[in-house]
Amino acid sequence: MPDLPPRHTPVLAAEVLTALAPAPGKRFVDGTVGLGGHSAALLAAGAQVLAIDRDAGALRQAAERLARYGDQVRFVHADFRSLKTILNQPGWSEVDGILVDLGVSSWQLDEPARGFSFRHDGPLDMRMDTSQPVTAADIVNTWEEEPLAEVIRQWGEERYARRVAYRIVQARRQTPIRTTGQLAAIVRQAVPQRGPQRIDPATRTFQALRIAVNRELDGLETFVSEATDVLAPGGRLVVITFHSLEDRPIKRALRREAGIPDDDAPTDFWGRRVTPTPRLRLLHRRPIVPTAAEVASNPRARSAKLRAAERLP
């Protein structure tokens, strides 16, 4: 593995390389380049990389750290879900592999000014693309109690979502909620705590707000379809997810592209589910997860799942 930035360890790096099989002359898209850990490994193997990220700050750091690879790598500030538009350039209409890592980067979590984490008090922001207008502070200070509770319930999977939303609304009537520390304290007071806690009670609410701010679950199934469109025969798609909310649509879309009908598939005259025409071959029956050794050295990898598929001829 090439030298990596301090505190930055790409998740499932060896497994990504095995799935993508980079080699000189091959072209890959890293749709969430972050600080460049996965891309560095692809470039070190001689491949060309189109590095995409919607976080301009992360993209700048990746460009600095991968500068030694020269024109072997190109950088694009964009959302990976705009893949077809991004690839509308000479030589990139078909690619040998696509990687997206849907997790929040260590750099984003560790930077108090970005407002992703309550471990450090900072502005309640949470935007991956800081050019976007809506922040987490906007949501907690302006949304009505009912939609706020629904977001926390659905995307945070928080059983006490109504109580959390009520406490947020009551608190903001006294003073606007502007920092991660303020919000975390409100949520901790709202969520009953009995016995030892596996995670901080604020974790689920912060996840829900981050998903809402960045619209993280929008268009994931469409992305898999469009990624399949631009893969060359034998090309591979690799997706790393970190929670079930994003893993389910990715799994469903990959199975559909592999010709495996789901429960919502249309039926024929005899009531049999119509099998989609397969365009992908799933590389694993089950998702790849980190080893115990990787989790011990990088605890943020513990919930990662890697799914991979190959484009059929």
Side-chain angles (χ1 to χ4, degrees):
M1 178 67 64
D3 293 339
L4 298 176
R7 298 181 289 108
H8 177 60
T9 305
V11 172
L12 293 165
E15 292 80 357
V16 166
L17 288 181
T18 298
L20 291 177
K26 287 190 174 184
R27 293 187 170 186
F28 294 92
V29 173
D30 186 344
T32 49
V33 68
L35 298 189
H38 289 118
S39 281
L42 297 172
L43 292 162
Q48 296 180 51
V49 173
L50 189 65
I52 302 167
D53 209 289
R54 56 176 165 168
D55 186 325
L59 199 66
R60 283 193 297 270
Q61 293 192 62
E64 291 173 7
R65 285 164 175 147
L66 300 177
R68 58 178 148 167
Y69 293 103
D71 59 8
Q72 209 180 320
V73 56
R74 302 183 194 178
F75 298 92
V76 178
H77 180 214
D79 189 317
F80 70 87
R81 287 167 291 194
S82 302
L83 186 64
K84 278 194 168 181
T85 301
I86 297 167
L87 292 185
N88 187 22
Q89 55 182 291
W92 286 89
S93 57
E94 282 192 338
V95 295
D96 298 294
I98 299 169
L99 166 69
V100 289
D101 177 346
L102 299 181
V104 182
S105 77
S106 298
W107 175 71
Q108 289 169 329
L109 288 170
D110 292 337
E111 190 67 34
R114 301 302 299 275
F116 283 98
S117 173
F118 46 77
R119 288 199 316 268
H120 314 283
D121 196 24
L124 194 56
D125 193 317
M126 298 193 192
R127 291 173 297 170
M128 292 181 179
D129 182 351
T130 55
S131 68
Q132 294 180 348
V134 178
T135 68
D138 294 325
I139 292 176
V140 300
N141 286 293
T142 64
W143 282 24
E144 297 293 332
E145 183 177 328
E146 185 62 32
L148 187 58
E150 180 60 20
V151 161
I152 296 170
R153 183 197 66 78
Q154 183 175 352
W155 293 343
E157 300 178 299
E158 172 58 74
R159 63 183 297 191
Y160 299 106
R162 288 188 178 277
R163 188 179 300 189
V164 171
Y166 172 79
R167 289 292 186 93
I168 288 173
V169 171
Q170 293 303 307
R172 78 191 190 195
R173 287 174 178 165
Q174 304 300 317
T175 184
I177 304 168
R178 300 296 185 196
T179 71
T180 57
Q182 280 179 279
L183 179 61
I186 293 165
V187 177
R188 289 175 188 134
Q189 292 171 0
V191 176
Q193 300 180 50
R194 302 182 181 91
Q197 300 293 307
R198 188 176 65 85
I199 62 173
D200 190 290
T203 302
R204 290 180 288 270
T205 295
F206 270 65
Q207 173 182 291
L209 291 171
R210 193 198 77 222
I211 290 172
V213 168
N214 298 291
R215 303 176 65 183
E216 293 178 30
L217 303 181
D218 290 3
L220 292 180
E221 294 191 46
T222 300
F223 162 73
V224 170
S225 175
E226 294 189 351
T228 304
D229 290 342
V230 299
L231 281 174
R236 292 181 171 184
L237 171 62
V238 174
V239 182
I240 300 173
T241 64
F242 286 82
H243 54 78
S244 60
L245 293 170
E246 59 193 14
D247 186 60
R248 281 195 292 266
I250 292 296
K251 175 184 176 181
R252 186 164 54 242
L254 287 173
R255 286 172 59 85
R256 187 181 303 124
E257 292 294 347
I260 304 170
D262 54 33
D263 293 340
D264 297 327
T267 56
D268 61 16
F269 178 80
W270 294 275
R272 298 173 301 193
R273 288 195 180 92
V274 177
T275 302
T277 302
R279 300 198 296 161
L280 294 177
R281 176 180 69 86
L282 302 182
L283 296 184
H284 318 104
R285 289 185 60 190
R286 297 180 180 276
I288 302 298
V289 298
T291 63
E294 178 173 1
V295 173
S297 64
N298 181 16
R300 286 176 179 164
R302 66 183 178 276
S303 57
K305 292 182 179 179
L306 183 153
R307 297 186 183 274
E310 182 177 88
R311 182 70 154 95
L312 296 172

